[in-house]
Amino acid sequence: MSYEQALLVIDMQMDFCHPNGVYQHLGNLPGTGIQAIIPNIRLMMEVARARRIPIIATKFTVFTDLDKKAIGLGHLGQLLPFLQQEGFRQGSPGQQIIPELPHPDYEIEKTRYSAFYSSPLEALLRALQVKELILTGIATNGAVEATAHDAIMRDYEIVTLKDCVTSFAAALHEASLLNLAAMGQVKNSTEWLG
């Protein structure tokens, strides 16, 4: 069976989204930030399930060696040095999708911003025969935009739901929405539902 669309729920994980998550120390999100987009994403997931649109959630993942030290971070380890010590460990509570969201149809672990980089996402999308990706999640200027760039390079159409994405800085969020509009459609979730 082929599917025209897939809903991507990008990195809505405990370590990003929960008040005690390791990422929350970076500052306030625009408006009410993450808490504001959770109900919107939940509704989009419920609608996608009703419309038989596959729901794919990505999980940023930090692998560790046998001594529980972070491995494979590359340049991200320099940009985000706290990852050397904590956060997003494979199988940890912080790596899991927040419980406020329905269970996705598929979960993809990734080690970089883009959901395509060194992950099984492209193989899954090809198997499902998806042509268009609906983007939700965090951060607009990080994993969402990086995934959009890689999707365009692979000839996917993209729609970003602007009330279902946010960032850790309002200016970066707004700038990324402009970039995303140059790559595909940017809509409110209500427009997409209509």
Side-chain angles (χ1 to χ4, degrees), residues 39-98:
N40 300 337
I41 295 174
R42 181 173 51 241
L43 177 60
M44 295 307 99
M45 292 175 78
E46 291 166 354
V47 169
R49 180 146 294 133
R51 294 181 180 176
R52 298 194 44 77
I53 296 170
I55 303 165
I56 304 167
T58 68
K59 299 193 306 188
F60 178 67
T61 302
V62 174
F63 296 114
T64 58
D65 64 15
L66 297 178
D67 297 317
K68 303 297 182 195
K69 294 180 182 173
I71 55 172
L73 286 173
H75 189 55
L76 277 182
Q78 296 170 351
L79 292 173
L80 304 170
F82 71 90
L83 289 177
Q84 300 285 356
Q85 306 304 319
E86 63 179 334
F88 307 98
R89 295 328 197 235
Q90 187 178 35
S92 71
Q95 186 219 17
Q96 302 311 308
I97 304 300
I98 57 172

Side-chain angles (χ1 to χ4, degrees), residues 71-127:
I71 55 172
L73 286 173
H75 189 55
L76 277 182
Q78 296 170 351
L79 292 173
L80 304 170
F82 71 90
L83 289 177
Q84 300 285 356
Q85 306 304 319
E86 63 179 334
F88 307 98
R89 295 328 197 235
Q90 187 178 35
S92 71
Q95 186 219 17
Q96 302 311 308
I97 304 300
I98 57 172
E100 296 92 331
L101 295 180
H103 193 73
D105 299 310
Y106 305 93
E107 290 185 4
I108 300 286
E109 289 185 341
K110 64 189 186 71
T111 61
R112 294 296 187 270
Y113 291 156
S114 172
F116 284 96
Y117 184 82
S118 292
S119 86
L121 178 60
E122 187 170 9
L124 174 61
L125 293 173
R126 296 290 181 216

Side-chain angles (χ1 to χ4, degrees), residues 151-174:
I152 292 296
M153 294 303 116
R154 289 162 172 80
D155 296 323
Y156 291 101
E157 295 177 29
I158 60 166
V159 177
T160 304
L161 301 182
K162 64 183 175 181
D163 57 341
C164 294
V165 295
T166 193
S167 184
F168 291 90
L172 294 174
H173 171 73
E174 294 299 329

